[in-house]
Amino acid sequence: MLTKQRQITPEQLHESLKNIRVGGTVCHYSLKKCAELVPVINEINELKEELNAVILVHSYVSPEIVYGVGDYVGDSYALSKNAMETKADVIVFAAVRFMGETAKIMNPGKEVLIPTALDGCTLADSINAAEVRRLRRQFPGYTFVCYINTTAEVKAECDVCVTSSNVYKIVERVPSDKIYFLPDKLMGQNLVNEMYARGVHKTISYYTGACYVHEEYGQDQIFRIRTEYPNVKVVSHPECSPAVVAHSDFVGSTAEMLGYMRETESKEFLMLTECGLSSRLQKEFPEKKLVGTCTLCRYMKSNTLEDILRVMKNPAPRDRVVLDEAVRRRAARTIEAMFHYTRQ
Ligand code: 13P
Ligand code: SF4
């Protein structure tokens, strides 16, 4: 949980964000820029109390949102738990549409607002419900495991949902030896390799989708950086290619990546994921050094403070998550299966 003052000054915001310098000028905070951001931040924080609202923010979203108005920041698993457990009447989900949908699936009685300007993402858009139904006919007897980065309609057609923090554990625990994983092909390949390494014998097929941010990274980038910085720790996300994963020191969800950096003595890190995690590193661990570059996710970065304020004051129909009740119930069963296997 992030603690917030009701009203902050430009100086306080600047002090908090001044170490962040990633993504060119996108995440770079001068005192002048902070003075422009503060009135909106203060208005959102006031309105939050009036509406009894909570703001959930994925780590990839811009730092002024994470540290200015966010109540919780985390990976998709932690945020879906926060969404399930919150006592707030209104959930504002600054991330991507399908994360807001997950909050609504678990909280049908609450208002869920999504400020993102762009719907979906390359991964979630790679598959739809009709395609899952077709695959189920093609792969009878398989347990369909969907990544959380899918729409509610796709979740409704599957058996169990997973996130980057529990995919291996869940696939190992599911009492089925035939698994169809969707939609990420790179994560699917990593899953096959990891099950083999763990001695788990299951037949695993996977779909063809990919995340445009993570598929960009290659092993050559790691080799180059290791030549220049021999002590660097390479930290990557399981949406990266198997070659990147094989040459990484640590692979995990965004929250696990941050946890690894917190606990690792090393001073230099190459982060193979979206820039939001690099900015969290610069803010929260200023003594550690980032080497190499990071990549921006245009979907996560399409959240703005202005849109958060707008959806809280006067939401348009597309800002409010509304789900067909039959779809919601079936998708809830898939998400509950994830919590069941994670707890086991
Ligand atoms: P995490 O669950 O690891 O935060 O991943 C979400 C995501 O969108 C990665 O691209
Ligand atoms: Fe989708 Fe990739 Fe962006 Fe995550 S980083 S939201 S998977 S496009």
Side-chain angles (χ1 to χ4, degrees), residues 14 29 71 74 80 90 97-98 125-127 136 162 182 189 233 235 264 291 337:
H14 182 243
Y29 297 89
D71 295 302
S80 47
V90 177
R97 177 169 283 271
F98 52 79
D125 294 348
S126 65
I127 194 160
R136 289 203 84 127
V162 296
L182 61 88
Q189 288 159 12
K233 294 288 180 203
V235 188
T264 305
V291 300

Side-chain angles (χ1 to χ4, degrees), residues 58 60 74-77 96 98-99 123 147-149 163-165 211 214 237-239 252-255 273 300:
H58 190 271
Y60 292 165
D75 64 6
S76 32
Y77 182 73
V96 270
F98 52 79
M99 291 191 187
L123 193 50
Y147 191 32
I148 198 155
N149 291 21
T163 73
S164 53
S165 67
C211 159
H214 292 92
H237 194 272
E239 288 171 23
S253 77
T254 51
T273 193
M300 290 283 192

Side-chain angles (χ1 to χ4, degrees), residues 26 29 46-47 87 112 136 142 168 251 288 325 331 342:
V26 180
Y29 297 89
E46 291 256 328
L47 204 52
K87 301 258 184 299
V112 179
R136 289 203 84 127
Y142 276 63
Y168 302 142
V251 184
K288 308 215 177 201
E325 182 55 15
T342 311

Side-chain angles (χ1 to χ4, degrees), residues 246-303:
H247 292 286
S248 296
D249 295 290
F250 180 82
V251 184
S253 77
T254 51
E256 290 168 336
M257 292 168 85
L258 216 64
Y260 172 80
M261 289 182 296
R262 184 182 297 118
E263 276 142 37
T264 305
E265 285 293 299
S266 177
K267 287 272 176 282
E268 291 158 350
F269 294 90
L270 170 65
M271 304 286 300
L272 295 176
T273 193
E274 210 273 345
C275 292
L277 218 63
S278 305
S279 46
R280 283 198 63 189
L281 178 108
Q282 289 176 325
K283 148 97 179 124
E284 295 171 33
F285 312 103
E287 71 290 356
K288 308 215 177 201
K289 184 179 168 188
L290 271 178
V291 300
T293 52
C294 56
T295 318
L296 294 163
C297 168
R298 63 176 173 270
Y299 304 96
M300 290 283 192
K301 290 292 193 273
S302 77
N303 289 276

